[in-house]
Each structure stands twice: as structure tokens, then as C-alpha cells.
Amino acid sequence: MSDPNPALSLSLPIEGMSCASCVGRVETALRRVEGVASVAVNLATERAEIHANPAVDRVALVRAVEAAGYAVRASTLELAVEGMSCASCVGRVERALAAVPGVLEASVNLATERARVRGVADAGALLAAIEKAGYAGRPIEAGLHLDDAVAERKDAEYAALRRDLAVAAVLALPVFVLEMGSHLIPGMHALVMRSIGMQASWMLQFALTTLVLAGPGRRFYLKGLPALLRLAPDMNSLVAVGTLAAYAYSVVATFAPGALPAGTVNVYFEAAAVIVVLVLLGRVLEARAKGRTSAAITRLIGLQAKVAHVLRDGAFIDLPVGQVGEGDRIQVRPGERVPVDGEVVEGHSFVDESMISGEPVPVEKGIGSGVVGGTVNQTGALVVHATAVGSRTVLAQIVRLVEQAQGAKLPIQALVDKVTMWFVPAVMLAALATFLTWLWFGPAPALSFALVNAVAVLIIACPCAMGLATPTSIMVGTGRGAELGVLFRKGDALQAMRDARVVAVDKTGTVTEGRPVLTDLEVAEGFERERVLGLVAAVESRSEHPIARAIVGAAMEEGIALPPLDEFESVTGMGVRARVDGIQVEVGADRYMRALGLDVGVFAATAARLGGEGKSPMYAAIDSRLAAIVAVADPIKPGSRAAIDALHGLGLKVAMVTGDNACTAQAIAGQLGIDEVVAEVLPAGKVDAVRRLKAAHGKLAFVGDGINDAPALAEADVGLAIGTGTDVAMESADVVLMLGNLQGVPTAIALSRATIGNIRQNLFWAFAYNTALIPVAAGALYPAFGILLSPVFAAGAMAMSSVFVLGNALRLRRFRPAGAGDQTATGRSTP
């Protein structure tokens, strides 16, 4: 039954509609859902606009559409999640989100503190689920901007952590000196007993430790104890229980010593206080390192102009770049960054596009030229017509790709998640078992031993290290990739790239430039090159053939004016002829020259060389004399040979899959050292070739740039698209190479190997640390060696464990590809 006063408007993307009848069926199905007031389905936009009661069941709406024979396209929502401290928190938030009706998939990242949810669930329901789990969440707005709220919160948290660390250290130092100094410094115990006495010393330690726990340490109890009460303990719970146990025992020993067994009256105030100090120190170092892991995103966003000079009412005024709309006219002055993507409508200048292309040489821009937001105008003033703003600009898309890759989970993370889900409860059970074992079987004073070792077990466990091991490496690795012009559209492409055994490349536009150019022009004796080129180009100017355009383009580039011509004629199967400035000129194949009675043998050596390079020679005759041999070809891109050598150096096979003729393909393969060639194949044939290569060699990476490469890119284990190629190719790819050449391929593979290796180092450390030191903290070495681990040292080890993982991940910022002197995608040399 519909609500007379609907307060909720929903928009559902519908798939599968093809006609007006489909619209009617979807509308009818949705109207039957309880709580729906009105429905309007638009076939053109493929969306259903629904007005309904706020309590309407979204899942019921989706099921109604599906029951009618159509589908609701799932959307992806990004949420910022606050309050997570370890891997257990990640699992808890993921389970809470996955339980919301309408959620198809939920992924939470500890390093980025974000959740990505796919489905049709309402954002309000998702936020409520996060809050119910004990955390805070909020939606992340799309667009190219630094999240000021998050940045301010992180800055405030970092400042608060530093302040609390300083306060805790000042308060804990006297406690540490009074208690541990008595054990470590000769005569210290006697000095304390003579000056203030044991009871006064304990009272002073009690007062200072209480201030530490109630002040700087309060954060652990406010988060850890509620989590414990919800039967969902986390890292804060371990610290809270451990420090409170040491503190409570010491309070009893200080104020009610008779309640304890004889010989067990000891205080551990220094353990509680110093644990808080060391854990806070770890958090400060962790927060600092986390800030550096996202530096690549910050640098990319920093490339955007903050202000644009926008034409309003006949005058250019300064507006925040977020207020620029498509169709606006924007003035770009010398030295300024282009604020948005657009087309030049006035002016002439050179623009530094190194952030996109990696090329350090500025590109000339005039009327009709496209410009990209974030690039730098060099010399002249330009007026630009805005064609893409906000989240639709190239820079915004790059940032979005990097953020998506950084937030992704690799297959290797699945096992880690399963382990960490139960890690904290297991540690608490281990601490309880340690306490009971020492209490029952330990030497006197058993209660003291039991307490100290149980606290050490609680404090030394570090789920943070396990939770940060994978995401921090992914963040730094994908960020470094963006700086080097390698954009991982999917985070799991990192792992797939590492496993590649063969790289298959398309030829045209990938290995070669993708456009024919004049490569060879050799003139016969008695002729001048410039004169011959001008005459030949004049004849070819009447043709639209790519070869003809390449010859005309070469003449124009050399500043040769084309003389007028008449009597143009195309000779079928032979070539073309015309009169140019009264001179008869014929251009065509060798058979045309022989038909004219001319001997091409004078160019036999040159023709043989060109044939070996996969080029088809043409000849020019002027006034019935053989004048020149000409070759037009699609030239090999600079760096292709070096890239293929680098791939061989990485132990990879290289194959070329192309629709071009076999002779040309083999010639290019011979020049570049390519191992295998598959030529003269259609797009479907490329897919079959990819399958055969995978069967023969193993995991395959395919590199392409055109629409015809999209099926092969999708079929490959990992697809890499040249960034200068088509949108279809880039949408089909897992990795985008922004520099527009093959040199990004070995960089991507080497970076993926370095990143996965870094992840494995982190995981080994995290698991080895916990596996080895938890038994040590429990007292496993005591029977044989008499060694026990103080809770203070346990706290220090725990704090440094997370810092080690973060520091190891940050080493990826120094990753340098082979031939590391090359420019990065942001136009700077690699560090």
C-alpha cells in the first residue's frame, strides 16, 4: 500500500530494457512493492525514478525488477571509516557491511581507512551498520580534491598523538626510574629507601601512572573496553586489558597488600605506564609513515590548478576550479597550470604535458588543439573552451584509478583476513592460558609470574602489523607506479603481472608509431632531394591514401612548397602520374617503372635493404628518367627495442600478435629481437593466439592500444593498454601505460615483482614476529634458560613491529626501473 506522503526518492539503473513494453513491465513490477508511491521509468537513460516511503525495502525493489525479467545494475560506494586500529577491525567492518541487505560485495582497507561497497544498499543503512559495529563512517564525494575533512582529522589526530606521547613520557619517566632504576642501577634501591621509602615510592608511582592511564592512555580504554564488551576485541582491547591488569594488581599491592599471597606483593606501575608510552610512540611513527604512503595521490591532486580565470559577462574573473562548468571559456596565462580539460579557441603557446606523456619537450598548441588539466602553459596566453571538468578530467581519472588500485585486495590477502579475524580472541585465550599455567605450575611467587607473563602476551601481540602488511605495500607500489606512468586499474593486476611468463604485444600503435611516415628517399645522380620530394608530394597531394599523406606531410614538415599540377591520372595497379610545373612525374611500383621502359636496377641494393626491413619501395620518374626510390613505413617507436631487451632481462618471452602481413611483421620482429610472431590475424584471431600462447608458456600479459585489441586484452591474464590508445582498449585493460610506449611494460612487471616481494616480506615479518614472540612472552624459554620477557620490552617490540612493516613498504618509493634515468609521468626524474 503506497504512502500518501512519500519522503524518499530513489533512482535505480535498469538493464535489459529494449522497448516501451519493457518500460511498462518494470513500472508495473515496482508499483506492486509495498511503500512505493510512484514510478517513472526512462528507456533512454535506463533508469527508474521511484518515490516511496522511507521504510521501503530496497532489496524488494531489486527482486521485483529481476522477477520481471530485468536487472538492476549494482553501483559502487566509497565510505571513509574512522576508528579502525588493526586487522580485526577490518574484518568486523566488512562483516557488518556484508550483512546489510542489498550489498553484493564489501572490501575494507586499513591503510586507506576506506570501505568500497558494491550493490544497491542505501548509504544510510551502510553508515548505520558501521556505527553499530563500533566505528564511524561517512560517504566520500567524487571529484578531484584532497578530502579536507580527512586531512584535518588526520592532522589533529597526529598532533594529539604527539601531545599525548610527550605528556605520557614526562609522567612515566619518574615511574620507570623509581622502579626499574632500583633493579638496574647499583645503590638506587638503597637511595630510594633512605630518601622517601618504599611506600611513598609506590604512592608516587600510583599517582603518576593514574595520570598516564587516565590522560594519554584513555584512548585505549574508550575504544578497547566497549569492543571487548561487544565480544569483538581489537588491538586497543589487548592494550587496555594488559595495562589495567598490571595497574589493578599494583593498586592492590599498594593499598591492600594483605589481599595478596605472601611473597607476591610487588608493583608493576612502570609496566602499565611505559606500555602506554611505547604504544603511543608506535602510533605516532605509524601515523607519520601512513601519511607518506599516500604521498603519490597528494602529489597528483596537487597538479590541479586551484583557481581558473573564467569568462563572465564579457570579463575574465577568478573562480575556484570547482565552479568551472563545461562550455566555460577560460584564460590560461604563461606559467599557469591548465585548470580543466579543453580545446584552445584563442592564442598560441607551448604546453608542458610531461605529467601525462612523460616527454620533457613542451607541445605546441594553437586553435583547435586539445589541452589537459594539470599541464603547464609555457609562453603564450591561451583561451580554452572547457570540455571536461571535475571528475571527468584526465587527471581526475588518473587519481581515481590510483585510489581504486590502492584500495584493492590481492588474492594473497584472503588468507591473512581469515587468520586475523580470530587473532585477537586467540591472543586473549593465550594470555588466559599463560596466566593459569603459571599460577598452577609456576615457581613462587606464582601469582606475580602469572600476571607479568600474561600481560606480556597481551601486549606483544601485534595484529596491526598483519593488517598493514598488504595494503601499505599496495598503496606505495601503485603510487610509485603512477609517478612512473604505470596506472594499475585493478589492484590484483599487481599480483597477475608478477606471475606473467610471456608478453604479447600488438604491432601498430604499440611497437610502432601507428601512422605511416616517409622513412627513405634516395635520389639518382643528377637530381636534388628537395626538388624530387616537392614534385612527388605534389602528385600525391591528390590522393587520400595513407602513403600519399605521409609523403605530403614530409614535404610540409621540411617547408617545401608544393607546385601546381594538372593532368592527374591514377594508373590502376601501377601508380599515379601528373604534370607538375610542366614536368611529367610518375610515381609507383617497380612494374610501373619497367612499363615505362626504365631500369630500377640502379636501386637494387636499396630495394633489397628496404625489403628486409619490411618496407615496400616505390619509385619516382621525372621527365622519363628514374629519379628516386621512396619508402613509407610505420616507424618503430623509440624505446621499443630497449623495452623488449628489458623484458628478456626479466626472463620473459615476447611475442607479437598483429593483423599486418607476415613479411612486415617478421622484419620488425627481427629488428627488435621478438621471439615469436603471429601475423595476419583478425581481432577474434588475436584471442585465439592469446589462448595458444598461454597454453604454451603460462601466464600472459597482452599489450595493445586499439579497439581491435580489446578482446585480446580481456582474454589475457593481465591486459596493458597504451595510454595514447582508444578508450575502449583502456577500459578493457588492467594496467594503463600513460607514457604511450612499451617502456612501461618492463617497469610494470618489475614494480609488481618488487611490490609482491615487499608484501611477502611484510607478511613473513608479521607472522614470524607473532609466532615467535608470543611463546617467548608466555615464558617458553624460562624452563631451559630462565629467560622471561618484561611487559615493557614486549610493548617496545609491538610498537616497532608496525613501524617495521610501514618502513619496509616505504622502501618501494625508491623503486627505479631499468634505465632509471628516464623521466617519470609527473615530469621529474626518478629519485
Side-chain angles (χ1 to χ4, degrees):
M1 186 172 174
S2 57
D3 190 320
N5 297 305
L8 179 67
S9 295
L10 295 172
S11 181
L12 294 181
I14 310 296
E15 294 181 339
M17 297 188 299
S18 59
C19 63
S21 298
C22 301
V23 171
R25 279 193 285 273
V26 174
E27 287 182 344
T28 301
L30 288 170
R31 285 195 190 100
R32 290 174 180 163
V33 177
E34 185 176 356
V36 173
S38 65
V39 180
V41 177
N42 188 309
L43 179 61
T45 61
E46 296 185 313
R47 299 194 76 85
E49 304 298 332
I50 304 166
H51 295 277
N53 187 305
V56 70
D57 186 352
R58 284 172 174 256
V59 178
L61 295 173
V62 174
R63 287 175 180 162
V65 173
E66 291 173 344
Y70 306 94
V72 176
R73 187 168 60 251
S75 60
T76 300
L77 186 65
E78 291 265 352
L79 302 172
V81 182
E82 300 173 10
M84 297 188 297
S85 61
C86 65
S88 299
C89 303
V90 171
R92 205 159 293 123
V93 175
E94 282 185 348
R95 291 196 298 274
L97 290 171
V100 175
V103 171
L104 300 177
E105 182 183 2
S107 176
V108 178
N109 189 297
L110 178 62
T112 60
E113 296 181 324
R114 288 188 176 189
R116 180 177 290 118
V117 184
R118 192 172 68 86
V120 295
D122 177 48
L126 297 173
L127 296 175
I130 292 173
E131 187 175 349
K132 188 176 179 181
Y135 306 90
R138 59 178 183 77
I140 297 174
E141 296 180 6
L144 180 60
H145 55 81
L146 284 169
D147 195 326
D148 292 334
V150 171
E152 289 174 8
R153 177 178 63 81
K154 288 184 178 294
D155 289 344
E157 283 181 1
Y158 184 60
L161 278 170
R162 292 186 62 180
R163 182 195 64 234
D164 287 351
L165 173 62
V167 171
V170 169
L171 293 173
L173 182 60
V175 179
F176 183 80
V177 171
L178 284 171
E179 188 61 30
M180 295 305 292
S182 298
H183 299 291
L184 301 176
I185 303 173
M188 182 72 180
H189 179 69
L191 177 62
V192 171
M193 295 299 291
R194 285 197 309 272
S195 56
I196 60 174
M198 180 181 291
Q199 189 63 23
S201 171
W202 286 6
M203 292 291 287
L204 179 59
Q205 291 180 50
F206 162 75
L208 294 172
T209 302
T210 301
L211 291 174
V212 171
L213 301 191
R218 186 173 67 251
R219 66 179 67 234
F220 303 116
Y221 311 114
L222 293 177
K223 294 180 179 178
L225 296 180
L228 189 60
L229 294 175
R230 290 194 304 269
L231 301 180
D234 62 4
M235 182 71 204
N236 294 303
S237 304
L238 296 178
V239 177
V241 172
T243 54
L244 284 178
Y247 177 75
Y249 185 93
S250 303
V251 169
V252 172
T254 301
F255 296 103
L260 298 174
T264 63
V265 182
N266 300 298
V267 295
Y268 300 98
F269 287 121
E270 89 288 347
V274 175
I275 284 170
V276 169
V277 172
L278 291 174
V279 174
L280 284 173
L281 174 62
R283 294 278 173 94
V284 167
L285 295 174
E286 186 178 311
R288 182 180 177 188
K290 272 185 179 179
R292 292 164 64 194
T293 60
S294 58
I297 288 285
T298 304
R299 280 197 293 271
L300 283 171
I301 293 176
L303 295 174
Q304 187 190 37
K306 303 297 185 288
V307 175
H309 314 302
V310 185
L311 185 64
R312 290 283 191 272
D313 299 324
F316 287 101
I317 62 172
D318 288 352
L319 290 177
V321 73
Q323 295 182 22
V324 177
E326 289 186 21
D328 279 342
R329 290 206 167 194
I330 303 155
Q331 185 183 61
V332 187
R333 298 163 187 166
E336 292 183 340
R337 288 194 181 275
V338 179
V340 295
D341 295 359
E343 182 179 306
V344 176
V345 293
E346 290 181 30
H348 179 273
S349 184
F350 287 83
V351 175
D352 179 358
E353 295 187 336
S354 58
M355 75 159 215
I356 298 296
S357 67
E359 296 296 332
V361 180
V363 179
E364 187 176 5
K365 299 291 180 181
I367 294 174
S369 300
V371 290
V372 176
T375 56
V376 181
N377 184 26
Q378 297 285 298
T379 53
L382 298 173
V383 176
V384 175
H385 173 83
T387 57
V389 300
S391 61
R392 296 183 60 246
T393 64
V394 170
L395 184 57
Q397 291 170 27
I398 291 173
V399 170
R400 187 160 58 248
L401 287 175
V402 176
E403 287 179 337
Q404 288 173 357
Q406 289 186 340
K409 285 196 173 184
L410 301 189
I412 198 172
Q413 183 71 14
L415 175 63
V416 179
D417 289 344
K418 289 179 182 177
V419 172
T420 53
M421 189 183 302
W422 302 104
F423 180 77
V424 173
V427 169
M428 301 196 85
L429 287 175
L432 178 61
T434 299
F435 181 83
L436 295 176
T437 301
W438 278 94
L439 188 63
W440 291 339
F441 303 109
L447 182 60
S448 295
F449 279 120
L451 175 73
V452 169
N453 292 322
V455 169
V457 169
L458 288 170
I459 298 302
I460 203 165
C462 189
C464 296
M466 291 190 290
L468 292 170
T470 300
T472 50
S473 294
I474 293 174
M475 281 187 72
V476 181
T478 54
R480 182 64 180 139
E483 293 176 346
L484 295 170
V486 178
L487 298 180
F488 291 91
R489 293 186 67 243
K490 302 169 187 175
D492 54 7
L494 270 171
Q495 193 161 336
M497 285 293 293
R498 174 194 169 276
D499 297 331
R501 293 293 174 266
V502 58
V503 176
V505 297
D506 173 52
K507 182 184 77 70
T508 306
T510 302
V511 172
T512 64
E513 294 286 0
R515 53 180 176 79
V517 298
L518 178 67
T519 57
D520 299 87
L521 174 58
E522 186 176 320
V523 297
E525 188 176 348
F527 290 91
E528 293 181 359
R529 182 185 184 281
E530 184 175 323
R531 176 64 172 162
V532 170
L533 179 56
L535 293 172
V536 172
V539 174
E540 296 288 3
S541 66
R542 289 288 181 91
S543 172
E544 289 299 317
H545 193 281
I547 291 177
R549 290 202 298 268
I551 293 172
V552 173
M556 299 294 286
E557 285 180 10
E558 294 186 23
I560 300 173
L562 303 186
L565 77 160
D566 52 28
E567 299 181 17
F568 177 85
E569 181 184 356
S570 175
V571 183
T572 304
M574 295 288 189
V576 293
R577 63 185 173 196
R579 292 193 70 82
V580 184
D581 267 352
I583 300 172
Q584 183 69 30
V585 181
E586 287 104 355
V587 182
D590 54 355
R591 59 182 175 276
Y592 188 22
M593 297 297 111
R594 284 193 290 270
L596 295 172
L598 300 176
D599 180 14
V600 297
V602 65
F603 291 123
T606 303
R609 175 180 62 81
L610 294 175
E613 294 173 359
K615 301 171 184 176
S616 299
M618 297 188 304
Y619 299 85
I622 298 175
D623 274 345
S624 301
R625 294 170 57 202
L626 184 66
I629 184 171
V630 181
V632 171
D634 183 4
I636 294 171
K637 285 184 178 180
S640 289
R641 175 74 204 213
I644 289 167
D645 288 344
L647 290 171
H648 285 146
L650 291 170
L652 297 165
K653 291 280 186 183
V654 181
M656 186 165 68
V657 182
T658 178
D660 207 344
N661 70 76
C663 179
T664 301
Q666 289 289 355
I668 290 175
Q671 293 177 58
L672 296 177
I674 291 173
D675 303 302
E676 192 170 337
V677 175
V678 182
E680 300 178 9
V681 291
L682 298 173
K686 288 188 177 183
V687 173
D688 293 335
V690 165
R691 289 172 180 161
R692 288 197 304 273
L693 289 167
K694 285 165 66 174
H697 302 289
K699 298 286 185 182
L700 178 141
F702 186 88
V703 191
D705 76 318
I707 292 174
N708 63 331
D709 296 324
L713 286 166
E715 176 64 28
D717 295 295
V718 56
L720 298 93
I722 299 294
T724 52
T726 64
D727 292 339
V728 175
M730 286 189 277
E731 283 299 317
S732 302
D734 304 298
V735 181
V736 177
L737 307 175
M738 293 301 296
L739 301 188
N741 57 48
L742 278 181
Q743 289 175 313
V745 180
T747 297
I749 292 173
L751 179 60
S752 71
R753 291 181 178 181
T755 303
I756 298 300
N758 192 273
I759 288 171
R760 291 188 168 179
Q761 292 164 8
N762 283 347
L763 288 174
F764 174 80
W765 167 261
F767 281 98
Y769 164 87
N770 283 293
T771 302
L773 291 189
I774 288 178
V776 172
L781 299 180
Y782 185 79
F785 304 102
I787 296 173
L788 289 177
L789 189 65
S790 165
V792 170
F793 293 112
M798 185 271 287
M800 290 302 107
S801 179
S802 294
V803 174
F804 175 88
V805 165
L806 285 161
N808 190 48
L810 287 171
R811 290 192 308 113
L812 289 170
R813 293 176 67 189
R814 299 194 297 271
F815 170 83
R816 294 170 69 102
D822 298 337
Q823 290 284 317
T824 69
T826 50
R828 296 180 296 271
S829 294
T830 54

